Coordinates of all heavy atoms in Angstrom, one line a residue:
M1 N 0.8 -1.2 0.0 CA 0.0 0.0 0.0 C 0.9 1.3 0.0 O 1.8 1.4 0.9 CB -0.9 0.0 1.3 CG -1.9 1.0 1.2 SD -2.9 1.1 2.8 CE -4.0 -0.4 2.5
I2 N 0.7 2.1 -0.9 CA 1.4 3.4 -1.0 C 1.0 4.3 0.2 O -0.2 4.3 0.5 CB 1.2 4.1 -2.3 CG1 -0.1 4.3 -2.7 CG2 2.0 3.3 -3.5 CD1 -0.3 5.1 -4.0
P3 N 2.0 5.0 0.7 CA 1.7 5.8 1.9 C 0.7 6.8 1.8 O -0.1 7.1 2.7 CB 3.1 6.4 2.3 CG 4.0 5.8 1.4 CD 3.3 5.1 0.2
D4 N 0.6 7.4 0.6 CA -0.3 8.5 0.5 C -1.6 8.1 -0.2 O -2.3 9.0 -0.8 CB 0.3 9.7 -0.3 CG 0.7 9.3 -1.7 OD1 0.7 8.1 -2.0 OD2 1.1 10.2 -2.5
E5 N -1.9 6.8 -0.2 CA -3.1 6.4 -0.8 C -4.3 7.0 -0.1 O -4.4 7.1 1.1 CB -3.2 4.8 -0.7 CG -4.4 4.3 -1.4 CD -4.4 2.8 -1.3 OE1 -3.5 2.2 -0.9 OE2 -5.5 2.2 -1.8
V6 N -5.3 7.5 -1.0 CA -6.5 8.1 -0.4 C -7.4 7.0 0.2 O -7.7 6.0 -0.5 CB -7.2 8.9 -1.5 CG1 -8.5 9.4 -1.0 CG2 -6.3 10.0 -2.0
Q7 N -7.9 7.3 1.3 CA -8.9 6.3 1.9 C -10.2 6.9 1.8 O -10.5 8.1 1.5 CB -8.5 6.1 3.4 CG -7.1 5.5 3.6 CD -6.9 4.1 2.9 OE1 -7.8 3.3 3.0 NE2 -5.8 4.0 2.2
C8 N -11.2 6.0 1.9 CA -12.6 6.5 1.8 C -13.0 7.7 2.7 O -13.6 8.7 2.2 CB -13.6 5.3 2.0 SG -13.4 4.0 0.9
R9 N -12.5 7.7 3.9 CA -12.8 8.8 4.8 C -12.2 10.1 4.3 O -12.8 11.1 4.4 CB -12.1 8.5 6.2 CG -13.0 7.6 7.1 CD -12.1 7.4 8.3 NE -12.1 6.0 8.7 CZ -13.0 5.4 9.5 NH1 -14.0 6.1 9.9 NH2 -12.9 4.1 9.7
E10 N -11.1 10.1 3.7 CA -10.5 11.3 3.1 C -11.2 11.7 1.9 O -11.3 13.0 1.7 CB -9.0 11.0 2.8 CG -8.2 10.6 3.9 CD -6.8 10.2 3.5 OE1 -6.1 10.9 2.8 OE2 -6.4 9.1 3.9
V11 N -11.8 10.9 1.1 CA -12.6 11.3 0.0 C -13.7 12.1 0.5 O -14.0 13.2 -0.1 CB -13.1 10.0 -0.7 CG1 -14.1 10.5 -1.9 CG2 -11.9 9.2 -1.4
V12 N -14.4 11.7 1.6 CA -15.5 12.5 2.1 C -15.0 13.8 2.5 O -15.6 14.9 2.2 CB -16.1 11.7 3.3 CG1 -17.2 12.6 3.9 CG2 -16.7 10.4 2.8
N13 N -13.8 13.9 3.1 CA -13.3 15.1 3.7 C -12.9 16.1 2.6 O -13.1 17.4 2.7 CB -12.1 14.9 4.5 CG -12.4 14.2 5.8 OD1 -13.6 14.4 6.3 ND2 -11.5 13.6 6.4
V14 N -12.4 15.6 1.4 CA -11.9 16.5 0.4 C -12.8 16.7 -0.8 O -12.4 17.4 -1.7 CB -10.5 16.1 0.0 CG1 -9.5 16.0 1.1 CG2 -10.5 14.8 -0.9
L15 N -13.8 16.0 -0.8 CA -14.7 15.9 -2.0 C -15.2 17.3 -2.4 O -15.2 17.5 -3.6 CB -15.9 14.9 -1.8 CG -16.6 14.7 -3.1 CD1 -15.7 14.1 -4.2 CD2 -17.7 13.7 -2.9
T16 N -15.6 18.1 -1.5 CA -16.1 19.5 -1.9 C -15.0 20.2 -2.5 O -15.2 20.9 -3.6 CB -16.6 20.2 -0.6 OG1 -15.7 20.2 0.4 CG2 -17.9 19.5 -0.1
D17 N -13.8 20.2 -2.0 CA -12.7 20.9 -2.6 C -12.4 20.3 -4.0 O -12.1 21.0 -5.0 CB -11.4 20.8 -1.8 CG -11.5 21.8 -0.6 OD1 -12.3 22.6 -0.6 OD2 -10.6 21.6 0.3
Y18 N -12.5 18.9 -4.1 CA -12.2 18.2 -5.4 C -13.2 18.7 -6.4 O -12.8 19.1 -7.6 CB -12.4 16.8 -5.2 CG -12.3 16.0 -6.5 CD1 -11.2 16.0 -7.3 CD2 -13.4 15.2 -6.8 CE1 -11.2 15.2 -8.5 CE2 -13.5 14.5 -8.0 CZ -12.4 14.5 -8.8 OH -12.4 13.8 -10.0
L19 N -14.4 18.8 -6.1 CA -15.4 19.1 -7.1 C -15.4 20.6 -7.4 O -15.9 21.1 -8.4 CB -16.9 18.7 -6.6 CG -17.0 17.2 -6.5 CD1 -18.3 16.8 -5.9 CD2 -16.8 16.5 -7.8
D20 N -14.9 21.4 -6.5 CA -14.7 22.8 -6.6 C -13.5 23.1 -7.5 O -13.3 24.3 -7.8 CB -14.6 23.5 -5.3 CG -15.9 24.2 -4.9 OD1 -16.8 24.3 -5.7 OD2 -15.9 24.8 -3.8
G21 N -12.6 22.1 -7.7 CA -11.5 22.4 -8.4 C -10.4 23.0 -7.5 O -9.4 23.5 -8.0
A22 N -10.6 23.0 -6.2 CA -9.7 23.6 -5.2 C -8.7 22.7 -4.7 O -7.8 23.1 -3.9 CB -10.5 24.2 -4.1
L23 N -8.8 21.4 -5.0 CA -7.8 20.4 -4.5 C -6.5 20.4 -5.3 O -6.5 20.5 -6.5 CB -8.5 19.0 -4.7 CG -8.0 17.9 -3.7 CD1 -8.3 18.3 -2.2 CD2 -8.6 16.7 -4.0
P24 N -5.4 20.4 -4.5 CA -4.1 20.4 -5.1 C -4.0 19.3 -6.1 O -4.6 18.2 -5.9 CB -3.1 20.2 -4.0 CG -3.8 20.8 -2.8 CD -5.2 20.5 -3.1
A25 N -3.2 19.4 -7.2 CA -3.1 18.4 -8.3 C -2.8 17.0 -7.8 O -3.4 16.0 -8.1 CB -2.2 18.9 -9.4
E26 N -1.8 16.9 -6.8 CA -1.4 15.7 -6.3 C -2.5 15.0 -5.6 O -2.7 13.8 -5.8 CB -0.2 15.9 -5.3 CG 1.2 15.8 -6.0 CD 2.3 16.0 -4.9 OE1 2.1 15.5 -3.8 OE2 3.3 16.7 -5.3
Q27 N -3.2 15.7 -4.8 CA -4.3 15.1 -4.0 C -5.4 14.7 -4.9 O -6.0 13.6 -4.8 CB -4.8 16.1 -3.0 CG -4.3 15.9 -1.6 CD -4.9 16.9 -0.7 OE1 -4.6 18.1 -0.7 NE2 -5.9 16.4 0.1
R28 N -5.7 15.5 -5.9 CA -6.7 15.2 -6.9 C -6.3 13.8 -7.7 O -7.2 13.0 -7.9 CB -6.8 16.3 -7.9 CG -8.2 16.2 -8.8 CD -8.3 17.4 -9.6 NE -7.3 17.5 -10.7 CZ -6.7 18.7 -11.0 NH1 -7.0 19.8 -10.3 NH2 -5.8 18.7 -11.9
A29 N -5.1 13.7 -8.1 CA -4.7 12.5 -8.8 C -4.9 11.3 -7.9 O -5.3 10.3 -8.3 CB -3.3 12.7 -9.2
A30 N -4.5 11.4 -6.6 CA -4.6 10.4 -5.7 C -6.1 10.0 -5.5 O -6.5 8.8 -5.4 CB -3.9 10.7 -4.3
L31 N -6.9 11.0 -5.4 CA -8.3 10.7 -5.3 C -8.9 10.0 -6.5 O -9.7 9.1 -6.3 CB -9.1 12.1 -5.0 CG -10.5 12.0 -4.5 CD1 -10.9 13.2 -3.7 CD2 -11.4 11.9 -5.9
E32 N -8.6 10.5 -7.6 CA -9.1 9.9 -8.8 C -8.6 8.4 -9.0 O -9.3 7.6 -9.5 CB -8.7 10.7 -10.0 CG -9.5 12.0 -10.2 CD -9.0 12.9 -11.2 OE1 -7.9 12.7 -11.7 OE2 -9.8 13.9 -11.5
Q33 N -7.4 8.2 -8.5 CA -6.8 6.8 -8.5 C -7.7 5.9 -7.5 O -8.0 4.8 -7.9 CB -5.4 6.8 -8.0 CG -4.7 5.5 -8.1 CD -4.6 5.0 -9.6 OE1 -4.3 5.8 -10.5 NE2 -4.8 3.8 -9.8
H34 N -8.1 6.5 -6.4 CA -8.9 5.8 -5.5 C -10.2 5.5 -6.1 O -10.8 4.3 -6.0 CB -9.1 6.6 -4.2 CG -10.0 5.9 -3.2 ND1 -9.6 4.9 -2.3 CD2 -11.3 6.1 -3.0 CE1 -10.6 4.6 -1.6 NE2 -11.7 5.2 -2.0
L35 N -10.8 6.4 -6.8 CA -12.1 6.3 -7.4 C -12.1 5.1 -8.4 O -13.2 4.4 -8.7 CB -12.6 7.5 -8.1 CG -12.9 8.7 -7.2 CD1 -13.3 9.9 -8.0 CD2 -14.0 8.4 -6.2
L36 N -11.0 4.9 -9.1 CA -10.9 3.8 -10.1 C -11.1 2.4 -9.4 O -11.5 1.5 -10.1 CB -9.5 3.8 -10.7 CG -9.3 5.0 -11.6 CD1 -7.9 4.9 -12.2 CD2 -10.3 5.0 -12.8
T37 N -10.8 2.4 -8.1 CA -10.9 1.1 -7.4 C -11.9 1.0 -6.4 O -12.1 -0.1 -5.8 CB -9.5 0.8 -6.8 OG1 -9.3 1.8 -5.8 CG2 -8.4 0.8 -7.8
C38 N -12.7 2.0 -6.2 CA -13.6 2.0 -5.1 C -15.0 2.5 -5.6 O -15.3 3.6 -5.9 CB -13.2 3.0 -4.0 SG -14.3 3.0 -2.6
E39 N -15.9 1.5 -5.7 CA -17.2 1.6 -6.2 C -18.1 2.6 -5.3 O -18.8 3.4 -5.8 CB -18.0 0.3 -6.4 CG -19.2 0.4 -7.1 CD -20.0 -0.9 -7.3 OE1 -19.3 -2.0 -7.0 OE2 -21.1 -0.9 -7.7
G40 N -17.9 2.4 -4.0 CA -18.6 3.2 -3.0 C -18.3 4.7 -3.2 O -19.3 5.5 -3.2
C41 N -17.1 5.0 -3.3 CA -16.7 6.4 -3.5 C -17.1 7.0 -4.9 O -17.5 8.1 -5.0 CB -15.2 6.6 -3.3 SG -14.7 6.4 -1.6
T42 N -17.1 6.1 -5.9 CA -17.5 6.5 -7.2 C -19.0 6.9 -7.1 O -19.4 7.9 -7.6 CB -17.3 5.4 -8.2 OG1 -15.9 5.1 -8.2 CG2 -17.8 5.8 -9.6
N43 N -19.8 6.1 -6.5 CA -21.2 6.4 -6.3 C -21.4 7.7 -5.6 O -22.3 8.5 -5.9 CB -21.9 5.2 -5.5 CG -22.0 4.0 -6.5 OD1 -22.0 4.0 -7.7 ND2 -22.1 2.8 -5.8
Y44 N -20.6 7.8 -4.5 CA -20.7 9.0 -3.7 C -20.4 10.3 -4.5 O -21.2 11.3 -4.5 CB -19.7 8.9 -2.5 CG -19.7 10.1 -1.6 CD1 -20.9 10.6 -1.0 CD2 -18.6 10.8 -1.3 CE1 -20.9 11.7 -0.2 CE2 -18.6 11.9 -0.5 CZ -19.8 12.3 0.1 OH -19.7 13.3 0.9
V45 N -19.3 10.2 -5.3 CA -19.0 11.3 -6.1 C -20.1 11.6 -7.1 O -20.5 12.8 -7.4 CB -17.6 11.1 -6.9 CG1 -17.4 12.2 -7.9 CG2 -16.5 11.0 -5.9
D46 N -20.6 10.6 -7.7 CA -21.7 10.8 -8.6 C -22.9 11.5 -8.0 O -23.5 12.4 -8.5 CB -22.2 9.4 -9.2 CG -21.3 8.9 -10.2 OD1 -20.4 9.7 -10.7 OD2 -21.5 7.6 -10.5
Q47 N -23.2 11.1 -6.7 CA -24.4 11.8 -6.0 C -24.0 13.2 -5.8 O -24.9 14.1 -5.9 CB -24.5 11.1 -4.7 CG -25.4 9.8 -4.7 CD -25.6 9.3 -3.3 OE1 -24.8 9.2 -2.4 NE2 -26.9 9.0 -3.1
M48 N -22.8 13.5 -5.5 CA -22.4 14.9 -5.2 C -22.5 15.7 -6.5 O -22.9 16.9 -6.5 CB -21.0 15.0 -4.7 CG -20.9 14.3 -3.3 SD -21.8 15.2 -2.0 CE -20.6 16.6 -1.7
R49 N -22.1 15.1 -7.6 CA -22.1 15.8 -8.9 C -23.5 16.1 -9.2 O -23.8 17.2 -9.7 CB -21.5 14.9 -10.0 CG -20.0 14.9 -10.0 CD -19.5 14.3 -11.3 NE -18.2 13.8 -11.2 CZ -17.1 14.5 -11.4 NH1 -17.2 15.7 -11.5 NH2 -15.9 13.9 -11.3
T50 N -24.4 15.2 -8.9 CA -25.9 15.4 -9.2 C -26.3 16.6 -8.3 O -27.0 17.5 -8.7 CB -26.7 14.2 -8.8 OG1 -26.2 13.1 -9.6 CG2 -28.1 14.4 -9.0
S51 N -25.9 16.6 -7.0 CA -26.3 17.7 -6.1 C -25.9 19.1 -6.8 O -26.6 20.1 -6.7 CB -25.7 17.6 -4.7 OG -26.2 16.4 -4.1
I52 N -24.7 19.2 -7.3 CA -24.1 20.3 -7.8 C -24.9 20.7 -9.0 O -25.2 21.9 -9.2 CB -22.6 20.1 -8.3 CG1 -21.8 19.9 -7.0 CG2 -22.2 21.4 -9.0 CD1 -20.4 19.4 -7.3
G53 N -25.3 19.7 -9.9 CA -26.1 20.0 -11.0 C -27.4 20.7 -10.7 O -27.9 21.6 -11.4
L54 N -28.0 20.2 -9.5 CA -29.3 20.8 -9.1 C -29.1 22.1 -8.5 O -30.0 23.0 -8.7 CB -29.9 19.8 -8.0 CG -30.3 18.4 -8.5 CD1 -30.8 17.5 -7.3 CD2 -31.4 18.5 -9.5
T55 N -28.1 22.4 -7.8 CA -28.0 23.7 -7.1 C -27.1 24.7 -7.8 O -27.1 25.9 -7.6 CB -27.4 23.5 -5.6 OG1 -26.0 23.0 -5.9 CG2 -28.1 22.5 -4.9
G56 N -26.4 24.2 -8.9 CA -25.5 25.1 -9.6 C -24.2 25.3 -9.1 O -23.2 25.4 -9.8
R57 N -24.1 25.2 -7.7 CA -22.7 25.3 -7.1 C -22.8 24.6 -5.8 O -23.8 24.6 -5.1 CB -22.2 26.7 -7.1 CG -22.4 27.4 -5.7 CD -21.8 28.8 -6.0 NE -20.5 28.9 -5.3 CZ -20.4 29.6 -4.1 NH1 -21.4 30.1 -3.6 NH2 -19.2 29.7 -3.6
L58 N -21.7 24.0 -5.4 CA -21.7 23.2 -4.2 C -21.3 23.9 -3.0 O -20.4 24.7 -2.9 CB -20.6 22.1 -4.4 CG -20.6 21.1 -3.3 CD1 -21.8 20.2 -3.1 CD2 -19.4 20.1 -3.5
Q59 N -22.2 23.8 -2.0 CA -21.8 24.2 -0.7 C -22.0 23.0 0.3 O -22.9 22.2 0.1 CB -22.9 25.3 -0.2 CG -22.8 26.6 -1.0 CD -21.5 27.4 -0.7 OE1 -21.1 27.4 0.4 NE2 -21.0 28.1 -1.7
E60 N -21.1 22.9 1.2 CA -21.1 21.7 2.0 C -22.5 21.6 2.7 O -23.0 20.5 2.9 CB -20.0 21.8 3.1 CG -19.8 20.5 3.7 CD -18.2 20.3 3.9 OE1 -17.4 21.1 3.4 OE2 -17.9 19.2 4.4
E61 N -23.1 22.7 3.1 CA -24.3 22.7 3.8 C -25.5 22.3 2.9 O -26.6 22.0 3.3 CB -24.6 24.0 4.5 CG -24.6 25.2 3.6 CD -23.2 25.8 3.6 OE1 -22.2 25.2 3.7 OE2 -23.2 27.1 3.5
D62 N -25.2 22.3 1.5 CA -26.3 21.9 0.6 C -26.4 20.4 0.6 O -27.5 19.9 0.0 CB -25.9 22.4 -0.8 CG -26.2 23.9 -0.9 OD1 -26.9 24.5 -0.1 OD2 -25.6 24.5 -1.8
V63 N -25.4 19.7 1.0 CA -25.6 18.2 0.9 C -26.6 17.8 1.9 O -26.4 18.1 3.1 CB -24.2 17.5 1.2 CG1 -24.3 16.0 1.2 CG2 -23.1 18.1 0.3
P64 N -27.6 17.1 1.4 CA -28.6 16.7 2.4 C -28.0 15.8 3.5 O -27.2 15.0 3.2 CB -29.6 15.9 1.5 CG -29.3 16.3 0.1 CD -27.9 16.7 0.2
Q65 N -28.4 16.1 4.7 CA -27.8 15.4 5.9 C -28.1 14.0 5.7 O -27.3 13.2 6.1 CB -28.4 16.0 7.2 CG -27.7 15.4 8.5 CD -26.2 15.7 8.4 OE1 -25.8 16.9 8.2 NE2 -25.4 14.8 8.8
A66 N -29.2 13.6 5.3 CA -29.6 12.1 5.2 C -28.6 11.4 4.2 O -28.2 10.3 4.4 CB -31.1 12.0 4.7
V67 N -28.3 12.2 3.1 CA -27.2 11.6 2.2 C -25.9 11.4 2.9 O -25.3 10.4 2.7 CB -27.2 12.4 0.9 CG1 -26.1 12.0 0.0 CG2 -28.5 12.5 0.2
M68 N -25.5 12.4 3.6 CA -24.2 12.3 4.2 C -24.2 11.2 5.2 O -23.2 10.4 5.3 CB -23.9 13.6 5.0 CG -23.5 14.8 4.1 SD -21.9 14.4 3.2 CE -20.8 15.0 4.4
D69 N -25.3 11.1 6.1 CA -25.4 10.1 7.0 C -25.3 8.6 6.4 O -24.6 7.8 6.8 CB -26.6 10.1 7.9 CG -26.7 11.3 8.8 OD1 -25.6 11.9 9.0 OD2 -27.7 11.7 9.3
K70 N -26.0 8.5 5.3 CA -26.1 7.3 4.7 C -24.7 6.9 4.1 O -24.2 5.7 4.2 CB -27.1 7.3 3.5 CG -27.5 6.0 2.9 CD -28.6 6.2 1.9 CE -28.2 5.5 0.5 NZ -29.0 6.0 -0.6
V71 N -24.0 7.9 3.5 CA -22.7 7.6 2.9 C -21.7 7.3 4.0 O -20.9 6.3 3.8 CB -22.3 8.8 2.0 CG1 -20.8 8.7 1.7 CG2 -23.2 8.9 0.7
L72 N -21.7 8.1 5.0 CA -20.8 7.8 6.1 C -21.0 6.5 6.8 O -20.0 5.8 7.1 CB -20.9 9.0 7.1 CG -20.4 10.3 6.6 CD1 -20.7 11.4 7.6 CD2 -18.9 10.3 6.4
Q73 N -22.3 6.2 6.9 CA -22.5 4.8 7.5 C -22.1 3.7 6.5 O -21.5 2.7 7.0 CB -24.1 4.7 7.6 CG -24.5 3.4 8.3 CD -23.9 3.2 9.8 OE1 -24.1 4.2 10.5 NE2 -23.3 2.2 10.0
M74 N -22.2 3.9 5.2 CA -21.8 2.9 4.3 C -20.3 2.8 4.4 O -19.7 1.7 4.4 CB -22.1 3.4 2.9 CG -21.7 2.5 1.8 SD -22.1 3.1 0.2 CE -20.9 4.5 0.0
F75 N -19.5 3.9 4.6 CA -18.1 3.8 4.7 C -17.7 3.1 6.0 O -16.8 2.3 6.0 CB -17.5 5.2 4.7 CG -17.4 5.9 3.4 CD1 -17.7 7.2 3.1 CD2 -17.1 5.1 2.3 CE1 -17.7 7.8 1.9 CE2 -17.1 5.7 1.0 CZ -17.4 7.0 0.8
Q76 N -18.4 3.4 7.0 CA -18.1 2.7 8.3 C -18.3 1.2 8.2 O -17.5 0.4 8.8 CB -18.9 3.4 9.4 CG -18.3 4.7 9.9 CD -19.3 5.6 10.6 OE1 -20.3 5.1 11.0 NE2 -18.9 6.8 10.9
D77 N -19.3 0.9 7.5 CA -19.6 -0.6 7.4 C -18.5 -1.2 6.6 O -18.2 -2.4 6.8 CB -21.0 -0.7 6.6 CG -22.1 -0.4 7.6 OD1 -21.9 -0.3 8.8 OD2 -23.2 -0.2 7.1
R78 N -18.0 -0.5 5.6 CA -17.0 -1.1 4.7 C -15.6 -1.2 5.3 O -14.8 -2.1 5.0 CB -16.9 -0.2 3.4 CG -18.1 -0.4 2.5 CD -18.0 0.7 1.5 NE -16.7 0.9 0.9 CZ -16.1 0.3 -0.1 NH1 -16.8 -0.6 -0.7 NH2 -14.9 0.5 -0.5
L79 N -15.3 -0.2 6.2 CA -14.0 -0.1 6.7 C -13.8 -1.0 7.9 O -14.7 -1.0 8.8 CB -13.6 1.3 7.0 CG -13.5 2.3 5.8 CD1 -13.4 3.7 6.2 CD2 -12.4 1.9 4.9
P80 N -12.7 -1.6 8.0 CA -12.4 -2.3 9.3 C -12.1 -1.3 10.4 O -11.5 -0.2 10.2 CB -11.0 -3.0 9.0 CG -10.5 -2.3 7.8 CD -11.6 -1.7 7.1
S81 N -12.6 -1.6 11.5 CA -12.5 -0.6 12.7 C -11.3 -0.9 13.4 O -10.7 -1.9 13.3 CB -13.8 -0.6 13.5 OG -14.1 -1.9 13.9
Ligands
ZN101 ZN1 -13.4 4.6 -1.2

């Protein structure tokens, strides 16, 4: 495992920056690499992109809490504790 591999939790943390284009190139590349191998995060990103399409621009507070809860729960279920 490479040391700077992006984990699902980090995807959640940086996704708003990523979709805003505010993420540094290195981090963005690492995140995209993660998406290639992680179906859960890919679905999550798709949901976020849909939210942006609906609102025109992404604000963290625009993400429905129910969606966040569901996604975070999904990650917790997937990750070893
Ligand atoms: Zn993931």
Side-chain angles (χ1 to χ4, degrees):
M1 188 183 285
I2 53 176
D4 62 348
E5 183 175 355
V6 173
Q7 301 299 315
C8 295
R9 280 177 225 270
E10 295 171 55
V11 172
V12 175
N13 287 338
V14 303
L15 188 58
T16 53
D17 282 349
Y18 168 64
L19 294 175
D20 253 357
L23 204 62
E26 266 182 40
Q27 264 184 282
R28 192 174 67 224
L31 188 151
E32 285 171 348
Q33 187 64 39
H34 177 83
L35 292 180
L36 292 177
T37 62
C38 185
E39 189 180 350
C41 288
T42 301
N43 289 338
Y44 179 54
V45 171
D46 282 348
Q47 278 187 314
M48 294 295 281
R49 284 194 202 277
T50 301
S51 294
I52 295 170
L54 292 175
T55 62
R57 98 178 252 258
L58 181 67
Q59 296 287 325
E60 196 136 357
E61 56 266 33
D62 286 339
V63 181
Q65 189 60 43
V67 172
M68 285 296 271
D69 287 348
K70 191 174 132 201
V71 169
L72 289 172
Q73 184 61 52
M74 180 182 74
F75 286 139
Q76 278 161 12
D77 289 346
R78 286 165 42 87
L79 294 171
S81 53

